[in-house]
Amino acid sequence: MFKKLYLLLGYLCVLTPTIWGQGLQSYTFDPPTYEQKCIQYFNDTASGVNNVNAFILAKMTELMYLERLDYQMRYLANGCEPIDTLQSTDWFRSHCAVKDTNFQEVYAERFKHYFNNPLEIEALEESQRLDKRYDRHTRFKFIHKIHTQSARFMGIFKYKSGLDPELMVISTPETIFILFRGTDDVGKNKWAEWFGTDLRINQTPAGGALAGTRIHTGFWLSFDLIRDELIATLAQFNAKDKKIWVAGHSLGGALSVITGTYLKSYGLNVQNVYAYACPRTIGNKAFIKKANELLPNRIQRFEYFKDPITLLWAPGYKYHYVGQRNWYDEEKLGKFKLYKKAKERVVVTGGFKRYPYIDTKDRKNARRIRRNQLSGTICIGMGILHYHNPQWYVKAAYEQLTEEEKAHLPQIDDSYPYLYYGRKDCK
């Protein structure tokens, strides 16, 4: 019996790489010409909102989600033509070939041609790491930690709660990109990260470089779980000599704000933070003061229309707004117009004199903009859930580009009608 088991295990060890190679082979594609070395147009010294940077980072953070990366790899392998053989979004998610176990390799395959330098596959020795001659490559490092526990609501209903932070660190000779994923499944559990991270809304004292501030408990614990490995990875990538850009979508947006502030306080050169669909409930007044002082005009929050996550607020918990708010109008009536430095949402909006940046020539449209951009009393329902889709942010950022910029930058690569949760006409 043991001999048979030994032979079976040996057979599996031989077969697994073959199956894996076949899986990777299905993802091979010829990089579009307009994508090759497009990172050369990324301005790593920019502050505030840079439209090219905002588009590239929106696109790269969108594909931090497993099913979205999987769909786009299939899309590219299909000659940049939509995949029309999928039964539904739910079916596709349950058959997703990209897992956390192969995410780093597939993500690097998707984006390696964006960069000017060849991909570094093998880890560098200590002596090589200290020699800058060896730091001429693009390196990808996926960091993922999970912590779950069982809990009971009111001592009766048992549920699973968890922390599940995921981020990709990309190092080039001049710049480091830190990209966070938003809320997703923890294994097969769809709600563990919601309960264990997002909904732990009370504040907790932060530690380390952010001591003396208080941060959303779930967000801080999630960041704290990957903090040491992130610091070690940045040291390995010689981060002290490079500019750092941090970005994320949804929960990833909140983690990008915390990470950027922490690393800046730690002494690293954080150039900018771009937080897409970011929750407003991140930290107390002390945290906001520290973040805004350390990164003046360098924390940019991007919100699309009536994205429900950006509407959420927690009265009584003493949260304050961080960074600068930038609001994209919706696709049809608003044509994705970007309102930079938009004011924060309030219960009572008041007259147009408070918002001189809103064009009042068309009073009906002006009222529409004021209501959707500034009202803090919009009802959150199933009908607006799809506005949280990261592809809206990619589309909106793309429309801010000039025709000349669009000619040498990646395209949108829309997954419609799939992966638009909550939209009536999606599958």
Side-chain angles (χ1 to χ4, degrees), residues 47 57 69 194 266 295 312 328 352 371 382 396 411:
S47 61
L57 291 177
L69 177 59
W194 281 99
Y266 190 78
L295 297 168
L312 295 174
Y328 293 114
F352 285 110
R371 178 177 65 256
M382 296 297 292
Q411 296 180 359

Side-chain angles (χ1 to χ4, degrees), residues 100-155:
D100 284 325
T101 52
N102 66 351
F103 181 76
Q104 177 175 310
E105 190 165 359
V106 179
Y107 192 89
E109 184 68 22
R110 172 64 187 93
F111 287 113
K112 65 183 182 182
H113 59 276
Y114 272 35
F115 298 90
N116 302 323
N117 306 93
L119 182 67
E120 175 64 64
I121 299 176
E122 297 181 0
L124 298 177
E125 299 293 336
E126 179 68 18
S127 59
Q128 295 174 326
R129 186 168 59 81
L130 298 176
D131 189 337
K132 291 186 177 180
R133 290 177 302 171
Y134 288 92
D135 196 12
R136 296 176 181 171
H137 293 80
T138 299
R139 287 180 276 172
F140 290 74
K141 173 65 180 295
F142 180 52
I143 299 176
H144 179 210
K145 300 285 186 181
I146 296 179
H147 174 78
T148 60
Q149 62 182 17
S150 296
R152 288 186 181 274
F153 178 69
M154 299 181 66

Side-chain angles (χ1 to χ4, degrees), residues 295-362:
L295 297 168
N297 197 35
R298 295 179 187 274
I299 297 178
Q300 302 296 327
R301 291 162 31 225
F302 295 91
E303 300 179 7
Y304 175 67
F305 195 46
K306 294 189 289 186
D307 183 334
I309 298 302
T310 68
L311 293 171
L312 295 174
W313 191 237
Y317 283 87
K318 298 183 179 180
Y319 282 103
H320 293 260
Y321 299 111
V322 66
Q324 181 61 61
R325 179 178 182 238
N326 305 281
W327 185 79
Y328 293 114
D329 203 349
E330 64 97 37
E331 179 182 22
K332 294 181 179 179
L333 294 177
K335 303 185 185 302
F336 292 125
K337 182 177 179 179
L338 173 60
Y339 291 81
K340 297 180 181 179
K341 298 182 178 180
K343 292 185 180 296
E344 302 290 351
R345 293 186 182 275
V346 293
V347 175
V348 180
T349 56
F352 285 110
K353 289 183 179 180
R354 297 176 59 182
Y355 314 107
Y357 57 84
I358 297 179
D359 188 351
T360 57
K361 292 179 181 178
D362 184 338

Side-chain angles (χ1 to χ4, degrees), residues 20-266:
W20 169 237
Q22 291 174 350
L24 275 183
Q25 187 176 7
S26 66
Y27 282 137
T28 57
F29 64 95
D30 294 324
T33 303
Y34 49 77
E35 286 193 352
Q36 296 183 29
K37 297 186 177 181
C38 64
I39 207 70
Q40 65 184 296
Y41 302 107
F42 188 97
N43 183 358
D44 65 358
T45 63
S47 61
V49 176
N50 178 285
N51 291 332
V52 171
N53 293 6
F55 171 66
I56 291 176
L57 291 177
K59 192 168 182 65
M60 295 182 74
T61 54
E62 177 207 349
L63 297 193
M64 285 297 296
Y65 294 96
L66 300 177
E67 67 275 12
R68 296 183 183 280
L69 177 59
D70 191 342
Y71 180 89
Q72 191 163 125
M73 295 301 283
R74 297 176 189 230
Y75 172 89
L76 291 167
N78 195 41
C80 294
E81 293 293 333
I83 308 298
D84 55 7
T85 57
L86 305 179
Q87 296 178 19
S88 67
T89 292
D90 290 337
W91 179 90
F92 177 59
R93 290 194 67 193
S94 66
H95 291 79
C96 183
V98 180
K99 311 290 184 183
D100 284 325
T101 52
N102 66 351
F103 181 76
Q104 177 175 310
E105 190 165 359
V106 179
Y107 192 89
E109 184 68 22
R110 172 64 187 93
F111 287 113
K112 65 183 182 182
H113 59 276
Y114 272 35
F115 298 90
N116 302 323
N117 306 93
L119 182 67
E120 175 64 64
I121 299 176
E122 297 181 0
L124 298 177
E125 299 293 336
E126 179 68 18
S127 59
Q128 295 174 326
R129 186 168 59 81
L130 298 176
D131 189 337
K132 291 186 177 180
R133 290 177 302 171
Y134 288 92
D135 196 12
R136 296 176 181 171
H137 293 80
T138 299
R139 287 180 276 172
F140 290 74
K141 173 65 180 295
F142 180 52
I143 299 176
H144 179 210
K145 300 285 186 181
I146 296 179
H147 174 78
T148 60
Q149 62 182 17
S150 296
R152 288 186 181 274
F153 178 69
M154 299 181 66
I156 303 174
F157 303 105
K158 188 176 181 180
Y159 65 92
K160 187 76 92 176
S161 70
L163 305 168
D164 183 37
E166 303 103 341
L167 63 148
M168 183 68 75
V169 183
I170 305 173
S171 175
T172 73
E174 297 84 22
T175 313
I176 286 179
F177 300 90
I178 303 174
L179 309 171
F180 280 92
R181 186 186 299 171
T183 305
D184 64 347
D185 299 350
V186 182
K188 295 183 178 181
N189 193 306
K190 297 181 181 297
W191 296 102
E193 194 166 24
W194 281 99
F195 289 127
T197 304
D198 299 324
L199 297 179
R200 298 178 71 174
I201 202 168
N202 56 303
Q203 296 176 2
T204 191
L210 295 180
T213 69
R214 297 180 69 86
I215 294 175
H216 180 293
T217 297
F219 298 164
W220 171 256
L221 292 177
S222 190
F223 168 74
D224 195 42
L225 198 61
I226 53 87
R227 175 172 51 157
D228 290 344
E229 185 172 354
L230 174 59
I231 295 296
T233 299
L234 293 175
Q236 181 184 4
F237 290 164
N238 296 316
K240 66 181 186 303
D241 299 324
K242 301 177 182 180
K243 298 178 181 64
I244 298 175
W245 282 74
V246 193
H249 174 267
S250 191
L251 165 61
L255 292 177
S256 69
V257 171
I258 296 169
T259 300
T261 305
Y262 190 96
L263 295 180
K264 185 67 175 180
S265 185
Y266 190 78

